[in-house]
Amino acid sequence: MRLEKMYGLLMKALLAVLMLFVTAAAVEVSNDIELEKAINEKCDTITLMPYEYEYYLDLDEPIEINFDMVLDLGGNELVTYFRITKGAKVTIKNGELNASGDPILEVCGNSDEKSPTTLILTDNLRLTASNGILIDSSNGYSRVELDETTISCVSRNSNCIRVYGHSNQDASTVVSIDRSNLYSRNDYVIDCDGDTEISISDSTIIGAGCILLQGGEISVSNSILDAFLEFEYEDSPIGAIAFMPATGAVRVILTLGPGNQISSKSGAIFYIVPAAQGSVTAQIAITGGTFITENGHPLFSAPEEIGKIVGISGGSFPGISPEESAALAPCLNESLTVDKDGNVAAKPQEAGVIIVQTDEEDRTQSNPSTGAPVNTIGQWILSIVFRMLSEAR
C-alpha cells in the first residue's frame, strides 16, 4: 500500500510538472494581469482573447523580452513598449500596438552570429506610436522583418524605423520590408545611420521625407515613395531621399530598381551631400522606376560632380527640363540618353554617308540603306550570276 501511495504521489507530481510546461508553452489570456503573468513566465505563444478595453502593460520602462515568443494580439489593441534582446526571436501579429514617447519596439543585437536578435511583424499588424522601431546595429547581430505591417508615426522627429550605430566585423543588421505601409508625419520614414542592409519591396513609404541614408545599404523595388511636408520646422526633411554619408560609415549605397514610383512635394527628390574624405564607398544606382518632381522642385539637389555618385541605367523622368536632362548626362554611360519624354533610352544611331577609301585614287560612295560600298555589292551580284551560269552548264 505504501508503495502504491508513493507511486500515486509521484505520478501526480510528474503530471503537475508536465502541465507547467504545457502552460508555459502556449496560453490564452483575457486581461492585463494574465498577459503580464504569461510574459513573466516566458510563455512561447501568447494569444490575446477578445477584451472590452485595450490591453495595457506598465509603461514606466520597456518590457524586456529575452526569450523566443509569438504574440498573437487576436485583433486587440495593446499599449506597451518592448525591448527585444539576447538573441530572442519574437513574432508579433494580428492587432495593434500603441504607445507614445519612447520607441515602441527596440531591437538590441546579440553577440552570437548564429542567434541574431530577431523581430518579425506580420499578419496585418498595426503600430501607432510617437517613435516606431529603434535598432542598435553596433552591438551584435539582429534581424527585423516586416510583412503586411502598417506603422504610423505622427509626432515631430519620429521615424518608423531608425537604425543607429556603425558596426564592425562582429555586428550585422538586416531589415526586410515587404508588402507594408509606413508613414511619418514630420520626419524621415526611415533613418539609417548604421552599417545595415535594408530591402524594401511592394511597399508604400509616405512622409515628410522618405529615406535618410547616412550609412549602410538600402535597395528599393516595386514600391511607392512620396514625400510631402505638412508642417514645416527648422529641421524638417528637405526631399524624398537624403543621401548624406556620415563620418565613420564603411559604405553608403542606395539601389533603386524597377517598378518604383518616387515623388516629392517637399523638395528635390534627391538631396545629396558628398562623403567626407576617407575610404567610404558612396553610390546611388538607378536601374528603373518613375521619378516625378512637383511644385517646381528639382530632381537633384547635389554637387556638380554628380556623375561620381549617381549611375543611371534605366528609369523615367517625366517633365524633366532640358537643363536637368543635360545635367544627368554624366550619370549615364555613353550609349544612353534621356529622350524628349524623359525616358532613359539608347542613343539613336546617326544616319549618314559612309566613305570607303580603297586607295588614294579610289573613293566609293556607300549604299545608304545597307552601308556596304556600291562596288562591293556589284561584285557580289556578279559572283552569284556567274555561279548560276556555271551550274546551268
Side-chain angles (χ1 to χ4, degrees):
M1 290 291 293
R2 182 176 297 176
L3 288 174
E4 290 179 0
K5 187 175 182 180
M6 290 182 62
Y7 178 77
L9 291 173
L10 285 172
M11 290 300 295
K12 288 181 180 180
L14 180 60
L15 181 61
V17 171
L18 289 174
M19 288 301 295
L20 177 62
F21 278 103
V22 170
T23 302
V27 296
E28 295 179 345
V29 300
S30 300
N31 55 55
D32 304 342
I33 296 174
E34 292 178 359
L35 174 58
E36 184 175 1
K37 179 182 177 182
I39 293 174
N40 291 336
E41 292 179 353
K42 299 187 175 182
C43 297
D44 60 18
T45 301
I46 303 173
T47 302
L48 276 56
M49 302 304 291
Y51 190 41
E52 184 178 359
Y53 309 99
E54 72 262 12
Y55 285 81
Y56 185 95
L57 295 178
D58 186 10
L59 297 178
D60 289 340
E61 60 182 27
I63 297 173
E64 182 174 349
I65 307 294
N66 55 18
F67 58 95
D68 293 355
M69 179 183 73
V70 175
L71 178 59
D72 186 346
L73 300 179
N76 296 286
E77 180 180 348
L78 170 61
V79 181
T80 192
Y81 305 106
F82 286 129
R83 178 182 291 122
I84 320 299
T85 66
K86 299 180 180 178
K89 182 177 181 180
V90 176
T91 298
I92 306 175
K93 62 181 184 177
N94 185 26
E96 181 175 356
L97 282 178
N98 194 340
S100 60
D102 295 333
I104 194 168
L105 295 169
E106 184 176 355
V107 179
C108 302
N110 188 38
S111 59
D112 185 357
E113 183 179 2
K114 296 180 180 179
S115 300
T117 302
T118 302
L119 173 64
I120 300 173
L121 307 179
T122 187
D123 195 10
N124 295 311
L125 181 72
R126 301 180 306 280
L127 269 65
T128 304
S130 296
N131 288 281
I133 304 170
L134 179 65
I135 306 169
D136 183 355
S137 68
S138 65
N139 61 354
Y141 299 88
S142 58
R143 302 287 183 271
V144 175
E145 300 177 15
L146 276 64
D147 183 31
E148 294 186 321
T149 295
T150 298
I151 303 179
S152 297
C153 296
V154 295
S155 297
R156 184 182 175 187
N157 299 325
S158 60
N159 314 111
C160 293
I161 297 176
R162 182 179 174 229
V163 185
Y164 73 96
H166 299 295
S167 70
N168 51 48
Q169 60 183 355
D170 298 321
S172 173
T173 300
V174 177
V175 179
S176 172
I177 303 170
D178 188 30
R179 299 185 299 172
S180 296
N181 301 298
L182 280 61
Y183 168 74
S184 177
R185 187 179 186 182
N186 296 309
D187 209 335
Y188 288 100
V189 178
I190 298 172
D191 181 348
C192 186
D193 186 17
D195 195 14
T196 303
E197 296 179 13
I198 300 178
S199 63
I200 304 169
S201 62
D202 300 299
S203 297
T204 300
I205 310 295
I206 299 177
C210 297
I211 295 173
L212 171 58
L213 180 55
Q214 302 179 80
E217 298 184 32
I218 296 180
S219 62
V220 187
S221 62
N222 298 313
S223 296
I224 295 173
L225 276 64
D226 185 16
F228 72 96
L229 197 56
E230 187 173 349
F231 300 99
E232 187 169 355
Y233 299 105
E234 205 172 293
D235 53 354
S236 293
I238 43 182
I241 299 172
F243 187 86
M244 306 170 65
T247 302
V250 177
R251 65 193 190 281
V252 189
I253 300 173
L254 175 65
T255 303
L256 301 174
N260 294 319
Q261 180 172 311
I262 301 176
S263 60
S264 176
K265 303 178 184 69
S266 57
I269 288 183
F270 296 94
Y271 181 84
I272 299 176
V273 175
Q277 295 296 322
S279 59
V280 58
T281 299
Q283 62 185 42
I284 298 174
I286 301 174
T287 63
T290 301
F291 301 82
I292 303 171
T293 57
E294 300 184 43
N295 299 334
H297 295 299
L299 181 64
F300 286 95
S301 175
E304 293 181 2
E305 298 179 347
I306 189 175
K308 294 182 178 180
I309 300 173
V310 181
I312 302 175
S313 59
S316 177
F317 307 91
I320 189 171
S321 67
E323 294 77 15
E324 280 204 296
S325 180
L328 291 186
C331 306
L332 305 166
N333 65 39
E334 293 180 355
S335 65
L336 296 176
T337 186
V338 178
D339 65 21
K340 61 182 180 62
D341 297 319
N343 300 312
V344 175
K347 286 183 178 178
Q349 296 297 321
E350 294 184 6
V353 176
I354 302 175
I355 302 298
V356 178
Q357 181 175 334
T358 56
D359 55 49
E360 293 184 1
E361 302 295 331
D362 182 16
R363 293 182 180 166
T364 308
Q365 225 178 20
S366 68
N367 185 305
S369 62
T370 65
V374 173
N375 60 350
T376 303
I377 294 174
Q379 291 172 6
W380 175 66
I381 293 173
L382 286 174
S383 67
I384 294 176
V385 172
F386 285 133
R387 188 183 305 161
M388 292 174 64
L389 290 173
S390 63
E391 290 177 355
R393 290 174 184 174

